[in-house]
Amino acid sequence: MIVLGIETSCDETAAAVVTSDGRILSNEVLSQIRQHTPFGGVVPEVAARAHLEQTDRIVKQAIQQSGLKLSQIDAIAATTGPGLIGGVLVGVMTAKAIALSQDKPFIAVNHLAGHALTVRLRNSEYGDPVAFPYLLLLVSGGHCQLLIVEGADRFIRLGTTLDDALGEAFDKTAKMLGLGFPGGPKVEQCAKTGNPDRFPLPRPLKGRKGADFSFSGLKTKVRQTIEALPPGPLKPQDVADLTASFQQAAGDVLVDRTANALDLFSRRHPDGGPLVVAGGVAANTVLRARLSALAHERNIDFAAPPVHLCTDNAAMIAWAGLERLQNGPVNDMDIKPRPRWPLDANAEHQPGKKEKAR
Ligand code: KG4
Ligand code: ZN
């Protein structure tokens, strides 16, 4: 089976063609970084407009690159939520129109399921597919969650962030240090030459029970640390040391919370399963190494998507569509875009907790 995937939920316009045996025939990703840079972050209205202008072209390009005709594609999948509604609408309407004109099914894909299932999109290039169940740390610009993944649409959320997502904390740290947008890769780059022990930063919730996260205190301390430095432009060494200290604090928190989640996971699945990290922040090689070391300590396997499939792309959306298609016929033509769409519906409402919109 072959699926065309479309991703437009944030600031990447993407389209890809993927086969059920895990071959990525094309994977077009157009970033809107240039349009959002003057604002230091993603502006929903600017994003929607850019998706509207580019989606048709990117879809055409993905089909051309795949070497196939549209009629050879079995289904069209698009991110139907969660995400910025203007962009999601563009992707869903485009996908539905193609599906209708070709008389093929439309598959509504949850963006988070795309990230969650990418490690199962494996072939000779990426290694063996990861089998269910696994413990997933999903870390992106909008989310920071620990989930048990038991099937393509069976997720149990063990913890989530009470305030900011980790990618957001990376982006805000970069912004405060004048490193630009998106911040994650810039912080990682600067941290390479920094001393991670120079600035004492908090490790929110570390040592506490459970698998929730909190990053707003860490972000605030970064701001206060910058304010306490001598006035004037920041010295490159200060920037390097602060980014390294931030990244180390983030890594300590991720390892601590993931270790607790592994305990909860093994209670439900005594035979165990691997630890998987996915989402944009999973592109960070230092954090990947810390999580891989945790898995090694626990004597379990570790998996992460190849770096270029960690940040938003449409291959993961096509793949999540294929996983659904393999479980039986799908027709989601009646499903409307959903700006909020938790993977674990039972975890949607947690009294007293402030939830991120995405
Ligand atoms: O998954 P993604 O592309 O979009 C969302 O679904 O949110 O994640 C984007 C986030 C951004 O916050 C970006 O700064 C972060 O992932 N990111 C990184 C790295 N590359 C991207 N964070 C830390 N280190 C990186 N190398
Ligand atoms: Zn994403």
Side-chain angles (χ1 to χ4, degrees):
M1 268 181 302
I2 302 172
V3 166
L4 164 69
I6 301 178
E7 159 60 40
T8 54
S9 68
C10 193
D11 59 340
E12 264 94 21
T13 311
V17 177
V18 179
T19 67
S20 45
D21 56 356
R23 278 175 303 132
I24 301 177
L25 302 183
S26 63
N27 189 19
E28 300 293 311
V29 183
L30 178 72
S31 165
Q32 301 174 356
I33 290 181
R34 197 178 46 78
Q35 287 97 317
H36 298 293
T37 295
F39 306 98
V42 179
V43 182
E45 176 60 22
V46 173
R49 212 174 272 248
H51 287 305
L52 200 57
E53 280 164 14
Q54 300 294 349
T55 302
D56 283 357
R57 184 173 70 80
I58 293 298
V59 167
K60 249 187 226 152
Q61 231 164 268
I63 295 165
Q64 247 165 28
Q65 283 290 323
S66 74
L68 299 177
K69 292 199 194 76
L70 195 48
S71 57
Q72 292 172 283
I73 287 166
D74 297 298
I76 327 295
T79 296
T80 306
L84 302 172
I85 189 67
V88 174
L89 267 166
V90 173
V92 168
M93 297 316 282
T94 307
K96 283 185 175 177
I98 299 173
L100 266 179
S101 73
Q102 297 294 310
D103 199 18
K104 298 282 163 69
F106 163 72
I107 311 176
V109 169
N110 182 313
H111 179 84
L112 303 178
H115 281 302
L117 301 172
T118 309
V119 283
R120 291 171 49 76
L121 195 177
R122 292 289 185 98
N123 51 38
S124 52
E125 195 186 337
Y126 303 138
D128 293 335
V130 175
F132 299 124
Y134 49 90
L135 181 76
L136 171 72
L137 170 64
L138 176 48
V139 265
S140 68
H143 293 273
C144 192
Q145 305 185 355
L146 279 154
L147 300 137
I148 299 176
V149 186
E150 295 184 339
D153 51 13
R154 282 217 316 278
F155 301 90
I156 297 166
R157 196 174 78 185
L158 301 175
T160 186
T161 182
L162 307 182
D163 39 60
D164 293 348
L166 183 54
E168 211 176 339
F170 264 94
D171 292 337
K172 286 182 178 158
T173 295
K175 195 172 176 183
M176 289 187 274
L177 291 168
L179 297 176
F181 166 84
K186 306 229 158 103
V187 169
E188 180 178 8
Q189 186 58 32
C190 283
K192 283 186 180 151
T193 52
N195 170 7
D197 299 318
R198 175 165 161 209
F199 295 108
L201 298 176
R203 272 80 174 146
L205 298 184
K206 182 169 178 235
R208 300 265 290 272
K209 259 179 70 178
D212 283 334
F213 298 90
S214 165
F215 291 106
S216 72
L218 175 57
K219 181 188 67 187
T220 305
K221 188 69 188 172
V222 169
R223 180 173 52 70
Q224 291 167 343
T225 305
I226 296 170
E227 284 164 3
L229 288 168
L234 293 170
K235 294 202 190 79
Q237 196 56 52
D238 291 340
V239 174
D241 293 345
L242 192 47
T243 49
S245 301
F246 168 83
Q247 193 168 263
Q248 174 146 295
D252 287 352
V253 170
L254 288 186
V255 168
D256 178 81
R257 313 315 289 159
T258 306
N260 284 1
L262 281 171
D263 295 339
L264 298 169
F265 176 56
S266 61
R267 250 179 255 163
R268 188 175 164 93
H269 293 285
D271 293 339
L275 169 64
V276 170
V277 61
V281 182
N284 185 297
T285 49
V286 175
L287 298 179
R288 276 165 96 107
R290 300 267 329 250
L291 293 158
S292 163
L294 170 67
H296 187 73
E297 232 172 68
R298 296 286 185 109
N299 220 2
I300 56 174
D301 287 336
F302 173 78
V307 167
H308 74 282
L309 294 181
C310 284
T311 45
D312 288 351
N313 64 85
M316 69 181 194
I317 303 305
W319 178 255
L322 277 159
E323 291 244 18
R324 290 221 12 238
L325 211 52
Q326 279 162 349
N327 289 339
V330 183
N331 182 4
D332 290 337
M333 218 33 128
D334 292 339
I335 297 188
K336 294 197 181 79
R338 300 181 61 178
R340 294 193 77 240
W341 186 0
L343 280 178
D344 177 356
N346 296 324
E348 186 166 16
H349 300 295
Q350 294 195 6
K353 288 192 177 175
K354 184 182 145 210
E355 285 239 32
K356 304 298 296 177
R358 289 190 60 205

